[in-house]
Amino acid sequence: MKFIDEVDIIAIAGKGGDGIISFRREANVDKGGPDGGDGGDGGSIYFQGDSGQNTLLSFYYQNKIVAESGQNGKPKNAYGRGGEDLIVKVPLGTSVYKDNKLIADVISEDLYLIAKGGKGGKGNLRFKSSRNTAPRICENGLPGEKFNLHLTLKVLADVGLIGKPSAGKSTILSLISNAKPKIADYDFTTLVPQLGLVKYFENNFVIADLPGLIEKASEGRGLGIQFLKHIERCRVICHVIDFGDPNKDPISDFEIINHELKSYNLKLELLPQVVVANKSDLEAFDHHMSLFKIKYPDINLIVNSAFNDSNIEEIKKQLWNTLKDAKNNLIDNIDENEDVVLIQLQKNKIEIKQLSSDTYEIIGDDVYAVYDKIPVISLDNLWRFNTKLKNLGVFELIKNSNIKDGDTIKIKDYEFVWNEEDF
C-alpha cells in the first residue's frame, strides 16, 4: 500500500433544503391556510480516527468529500428530510489545517466536526401570524461550509524506533511486536513508517519503526526530513545503534541522530530514550562498547543481538517502564502546544462594483447571505428581501453613489432597475 502522509482536499457540507410556499387544498375544508414545510438541514462532515488505517492514500485518489444535502419542504407541513452526516474514517494522528491553522487533531476515535451543514429554509407556515394569515414567504436553505483543507498524518505511536540505516531497527521491531517489516542487508530497507503492537505481560503499547536517519536529515538529506515529523507524537524514543560493524562509529552515529532530532524540533531531544547496543554477536562489538562507555558512562545500554534474540524481553521491559514514567511526567510535544482554532470566516464588506456605464453589482457576504436565503418568487418575499437590504444599508449606499435612476443593479443573478423614489 502506498504511504501518503500529506494531502490537500476539498470538504463540502450539505446544503439545507428549501422551504416552500403552499396552501391547503382539500375537499370539504371551507378555509385553507399555509402549509408549506421547512427544508431539512444539510449533512455535516465529521472525521473519525481509525486505528486500522496508516495512510491518507484514499484522499490522494478522491480529494473531494461532499455531504448529503437536505430535502426541500413539502405541502401539508411536511418537513424535508435532513441530509445524512458524512463520517469519514482517517488514520489516528491526522491533523487538519485550514489556511495553515490547525482546526482538528484526530487523536482518538471520537467524531471531529470538519464542515457544518447548512440550515434548512423555513416554509410559509412558519410566517403565519394574526396580521398575515396567508403569507407568501419562504426561505431557501443555506449552503453548507466549504473548505480547502490540508491533511497531515503524524504516526500515533507510543515508542519510535530510530537510528542510522541498517542499524537493525526492523529486525528488533519484528521480534518484539506483531509487525512484519521488510528486512534486508542494505540501507533504507524501511521506506515508510511501520507500526507494531508490543505485548508486555498484561500491557500493550504501539511502536513505530521510522525510516533510517542520516546526517543533515533535518535539512532534507535522505528520507529523514520526510519522516522526522512522525517522531513528534512519540512518548519514548528507542535509539538502535550498530555496535558490531567495524566500519561504523557508534559514538558518531549516536551524536548525529540526536543532533538531527534537536535540529528538527527543540523538544524531540527531551523525550526519554532507551538506547540499544545492537549486533553484539559481531567481533567489533566489545571494542566499540568500551569506547562508548568512556565517552558516555551514564548512558544505560541494552546489549542485544537480533541474530540470537538475546535480550528482547529486556528491551520490552525497559521500553514499558520508560513509557510508563513518560506518561506520568508528560512532556508536551509540538502538537499539544499547537492551538486548535475555530474556523471564523472573514466577511467581505458590502461594496458597489461598476460593470458598465449603466450596470452595477452589489457585492458582500451579508448581501449574498440575504439573497441565498430569500428567494424572490413572490411579492411578499420581494418586500422581505428589500427590507433586509435596507437594514444592511444597501439602499443608502446606492443613494450615496453615482448610480442614477434607470441604471441596472445586480446581486448575483438577480437584477432590478434602480428608481430612488421606490426605495
Side-chain angles (χ1 to χ4, degrees):
M1 180 182 292
K2 189 174 182 181
F3 181 76
I4 301 292
D5 61 358
E6 291 198 36
V7 69
D8 293 316
I9 69 168
I10 301 172
I12 306 174
K15 176 187 177 297
D18 299 336
I20 67 166
I21 297 174
S22 174
F23 294 89
R24 291 176 62 186
R25 296 290 187 271
E26 296 181 37
N28 303 317
V29 177
D30 293 335
K31 296 181 180 179
D35 68 350
D38 297 349
D41 293 341
S44 297
I45 296 175
Y46 293 88
F47 280 179
Q48 184 177 36
D50 182 359
S51 59
Q53 296 189 32
N54 60 1
T55 176
L56 298 174
L57 180 64
S58 59
F59 296 104
Y60 181 79
Y61 294 111
Q62 180 61 47
N63 67 346
K64 180 184 285 189
I65 51 177
V66 183
E68 184 182 22
S69 295
Q71 292 183 350
N72 295 338
K74 299 177 177 62
K76 298 183 180 180
N77 195 26
Y79 284 27
R81 183 178 65 83
E84 287 192 16
D85 292 335
L86 179 61
I87 299 176
V88 181
K89 297 291 185 71
V90 298
L92 287 171
T94 300
S95 298
V96 185
Y97 293 88
K98 179 185 179 294
D99 297 332
N100 296 320
K101 294 182 179 179
L102 182 67
I103 64 169
D105 199 10
V106 185
I107 58 174
S108 73
E109 295 183 358
D110 295 335
L111 295 179
Y112 296 77
L113 177 62
I114 301 300
K116 187 173 180 58
K119 187 173 180 58
K122 297 177 182 178
N124 67 330
L125 177 63
R126 299 286 293 274
F127 295 96
K128 180 181 178 181
S129 67
S130 57
R131 298 178 60 185
N132 188 357
T133 58
R136 295 183 176 275
I137 300 173
C138 67
E139 293 179 345
N140 286 334
L142 297 179
E145 293 179 327
K146 177 181 178 181
F147 300 125
N148 294 316
L149 303 174
H150 181 73
L151 307 186
T152 298
L153 172 62
K154 296 179 183 178
V155 170
L156 201 60
D158 299 302
V159 178
L161 275 171
I162 65 169
K164 296 286 284 289
S166 297
K169 303 184 302 299
S170 296
T171 302
I172 290 177
L173 177 69
S174 69
L175 294 173
I176 69 174
S177 77
N178 63 348
K180 303 299 178 185
K182 179 180 179 181
I183 300 172
D185 189 21
Y186 55 83
D187 290 352
F188 297 116
T189 307
T190 304
L191 297 178
V192 300
Q194 300 287 326
L195 291 176
L197 181 67
V198 180
K199 292 186 177 182
Y200 181 66
F201 295 101
E202 70 277 7
N203 305 301
N204 297 322
F205 59 91
V206 178
I207 187 168
D209 175 16
L210 303 170
L213 303 179
I214 63 174
E215 188 172 6
K216 296 187 178 179
S218 59
E219 298 176 14
R221 292 187 61 186
L223 297 174
I225 188 63
Q226 206 173 340
F227 299 108
L228 266 170
K229 66 173 176 281
H230 294 291
I231 307 174
E232 291 177 5
R233 294 187 184 273
C234 298
R235 297 298 182 203
V236 172
I237 291 175
C238 181
H239 194 158
V240 181
I241 306 173
D242 184 350
F243 273 67
D245 190 333
N247 298 316
K248 292 185 178 180
D249 182 355
I251 294 175
S252 175
D253 290 350
F254 177 74
E255 293 174 346
I256 285 172
I257 297 303
N258 281 293
H259 175 73
E260 294 310 311
L261 295 180
K262 187 173 183 178
S263 298
Y264 179 75
N265 179 332
L266 292 177
K267 288 195 173 184
L268 291 183
E269 81 280 5
L270 299 179
L271 293 173
Q273 286 195 19
V274 173
V275 183
V276 177
N278 203 26
K279 304 187 181 181
S280 63
D281 55 296
L282 300 181
E283 59 183 24
F285 183 88
D286 292 338
H287 174 65
H288 284 154
M289 175 67 82
S290 61
L291 294 178
F292 195 94
K293 283 293 187 182
I294 293 173
K295 183 70 180 288
Y296 295 104
D298 296 329
I299 292 181
N300 180 33
L301 296 174
I302 302 176
V303 176
N304 181 68
S305 169
F307 181 74
N308 53 28
D309 304 352
S310 63
N311 230 349
I312 295 303
E313 290 305 315
E314 181 64 21
I315 294 176
K316 289 184 180 181
K317 176 183 175 182
Q318 290 296 329
L319 289 177
W320 172 249
N321 289 337
T322 306
L323 180 61
K324 186 168 58 175
D325 291 341
K327 288 181 177 179
N328 293 334
N329 304 289
L330 188 61
I331 298 177
D332 292 333
N333 62 25
I334 185 171
D335 289 307
E336 289 163 337
N337 278 338
E338 192 171 6
D339 293 332
V340 177
V341 299
L342 294 175
I343 302 175
Q344 294 182 332
L345 298 179
Q346 191 75 25
K347 288 186 177 181
N348 295 319
K349 65 179 182 179
I350 301 173
E351 295 179 316
I352 298 176
K353 180 181 177 182
Q354 186 168 4
L355 302 179
S356 66
S357 60
D358 61 352
T359 304
Y360 298 82
E361 182 179 12
I362 308 296
I363 60 176
D365 290 337
D366 287 335
V367 173
Y368 292 159
V370 170
Y371 176 76
D372 290 339
K373 189 173 185 178
I374 304 175
V376 187
I377 58 175
S378 69
L379 186 59
D380 286 4
N381 264 18
L382 177 60
W383 287 341
R384 187 166 181 249
F385 179 68
N386 287 339
T387 300
K388 294 286 187 181
L389 294 183
K390 180 179 179 181
N391 292 339
L392 289 174
V394 172
F395 296 149
E396 193 64 31
L397 182 64
I398 294 174
K399 292 175 182 178
N400 294 330
S401 68
N402 296 324
I403 296 177
K404 304 181 292 295
D405 287 353
D407 288 346
T408 299
I409 297 177
K410 295 183 61 178
I411 298 176
K412 286 195 171 181
D413 57 359
Y414 173 70
E415 295 184 3
F416 64 94
V417 176
W418 175 252
N419 187 331
E420 187 169 343
E421 289 185 359
D422 296 336
F423 300 94

